[in-house]
Structure formats: structure tokens, C-alpha cells
Amino acid sequence: RKEVEQDPGPFNVPEGATVAFNCTYSNSASQSFFWYRQDCRKEPKLLMSVYSSGNEDGRFTAQLNRASQYISLLIRDSKLSDSATYLCVVRTGNTDKLIFGTGTRLQVFP
Amino acid sequence: GAGVSQSPSNKVTEKGKDVELRCDPISGHTALYWYRQSLGQGLEFLIYFQGNSAPDKSGLPSDRFSAERTGGSVSTLTIQRTQQEDSAVYLCASSPPPGLNEQYFGPGTRLTVT
């Protein structure tokens, strides 16, 4: 079983739609959680950290469920520019090592 | 300020040759990471440095792969006797102390082994 699992998609949604991505992780000792965004043929960039209480950044909302070992990302009012691959990322314990999921691809169409 | 830089941006080599990939982290960043990403795949962790030491080399695929970091700054990833399955984008990232937060990625080196 992979340490971090995501639905690869693609998710094809119209502009203005709300879309949600899910991610599960296998190590209950995981302590830090992030969503990264990767555009085609570009490097990954941090989108947002995920906090235990859930957090929001504009149209983006991230949630963490430790009991179910589950992380989610909700994007409201999708824009064409949101088209990218969204990577779920987990850090376990006090190591500096990040474990990346394989990513969920989002395509927003006009 | 300057971000993470990597060189070369593209490298085409013949099977069996050795290659060296370079990473220049953001100044002051103590942690440095190497990943590789094959076409359509996720990021595969290779190795990470804290300063000049490598606490975790668990991701190196074989003994043909090695990496070093000098002066707590530049790192070199060396692949000896390259194979076609080594073809991938090799990404370097760095993070500031204490190294527990955001990783900043370089643009990557696209390696093609023919």
C-alpha cells in the first residue's frame, strides 16, 4: 500500500464549479500535511498547509481528519487557471522528509 | 531573491555514461532534497541533506546513484553507468531551518538516456 494515496483523476469541471479532492495516508504518526500544485512540466509549489482545525485561503479550503487519516482540498468557483495537478504531501514524525502522493489532475473548461 | 537553480536544464546521454546534476539551493536553506519524477508519475524521494550530511539516503534506487553536498550549499547528484530507466526529471528542493516547512523546488533537470 502506498504511504499517500490520491485519485489520479482527471477531474474535468466547468468554470465556476466546486470540486473536492481526497487523499489518504497510511502512517498514523504523520504530523504535517500540505497541498502542493504542479503545473504541466513545471516544478511543484506549495498551495497551502493543512491544519488540524481546517483552514481556508480564498477559494481553497483544506481539511484534515486524523481519525480516518484523510485530507481533503475543496476548490470553489473554479477558474481556468486552477487547471493543474494537486499533490497531497505528508511529513511523518520529526523528519524533514516529505512523502508525495501521485497527484490528482484537474482540468477546468470554459 | 534567487530561487533554487538546477543545471543543466536538459541532459541527453548515452546508456552507460556517467552524469552529474547540480543543485544550487536558496541561500541560507539548510535542508536540501533530491527527487525524481518519471513521466506522468509522482515524486520519488531520493535523498536529503541537512547541512553537508545525508541522514536519509533510503530513496537512492541503486549504488549507481550518489550525492554530495559541500559547504552546506551546492549539491551534486551523480548517476554512474546510466540506464534507460534513469530517464526522468530530477528535482531539487531546499527548505529553511528548521526544515520542517515549505520546500522550494528548482525547475528540474530533464535527463534522457538513449
Side-chain angles (χ1 to χ4, degrees), chain A residues 36 38 43 91 96-98, chain B residues 33 37 50 99-100 103 106:
Chain A
Y36 275 68
Q38 186 172 26
E43 69 274 21
R91 173 182 284 117
D96 292 345
K97 179 178 166 182
L98 296 181
Chain B
Y33 311 79
Q37 187 172 33
Q50 185 60 252
L100 297 179
Q103 292 187 6

Side-chain angles (χ1 to χ4, degrees), chain B residues 15-105:
Chain B
K15 178 181 170 182
K17 300 283 189 184
D18 297 352
V19 294
E20 281 190 355
L21 312 180
R22 177 188 167 107
C23 172
D24 252 294
I26 293 172
S27 178
H29 282 198
T30 53
L32 184 148
Y33 311 79
W34 283 100
Y35 299 87
R36 75 175 175 183
Q37 187 172 33
S38 301
L39 188 63
Q41 301 298 310
L43 272 74
E44 177 188 359
F45 168 82
L46 298 178
I47 186 171
Y48 107 87
F49 290 89
Q50 185 60 252
N52 291 336
S53 63
D56 191 342
K57 305 179 183 179
S58 62
L60 293 177
S62 74
D63 59 8
R64 296 186 296 104
F65 288 72
S66 63
E68 64 174 15
R69 189 180 186 194
T70 55
S73 181
V74 172
S75 176
T76 303
L77 177 70
T78 302
I79 309 173
Q80 295 179 309
R81 305 181 303 282
T82 51
Q83 303 295 312
Q84 287 185 330
E85 60 265 27
D86 299 335
S87 296
V89 176
Y90 289 80
L91 290 158
C92 174
S94 68
S95 63
L100 297 179
N101 296 303
E102 179 177 1
Q103 292 187 6
Y104 296 80
F105 282 82

Side-chain angles (χ1 to χ4, degrees), chain A residues 28-60:
Chain A
S28 59
S30 297
Q31 293 192 347
S32 303
F33 310 91
F34 311 89
W35 284 100
Y36 275 68
R37 169 189 170 135
Q38 186 172 26
D39 292 288
C40 188
R41 299 175 80 87
K42 296 285 190 181
E43 69 274 21
K45 292 185 179 177
L46 179 68
L47 177 66
M48 58 196 304
S49 300
V50 185
Y51 302 120
S52 297
S53 55
N55 49 297
E56 189 174 306
D57 182 1
R59 298 182 293 108
F60 299 83

Side-chain angles (χ1 to χ4, degrees), chain A residues 41-105:
Chain A
R41 299 175 80 87
K42 296 285 190 181
E43 69 274 21
K45 292 185 179 177
L46 179 68
L47 177 66
M48 58 196 304
S49 300
V50 185
Y51 302 120
S52 297
S53 55
N55 49 297
E56 189 174 306
D57 182 1
R59 298 182 293 108
F60 299 83
T61 301
Q63 293 197 313
L64 168 64
N65 183 323
R66 285 188 185 273
S68 301
Q69 295 180 201
Y70 169 100
I71 306 156
S72 66
L73 177 68
L74 182 79
I75 305 175
R76 290 183 299 278
D77 187 22
S78 298
K79 311 291 184 192
L80 295 176
S81 57
D82 294 335
S83 298
T85 296
Y86 291 83
L87 304 169
C88 176
V89 185
V90 170
R91 173 182 284 117
T92 299
N94 291 321
T95 70
D96 292 345
K97 179 178 166 182
L98 296 181
I99 307 297
F100 284 77
T102 53
T104 298
R105 188 166 154 235

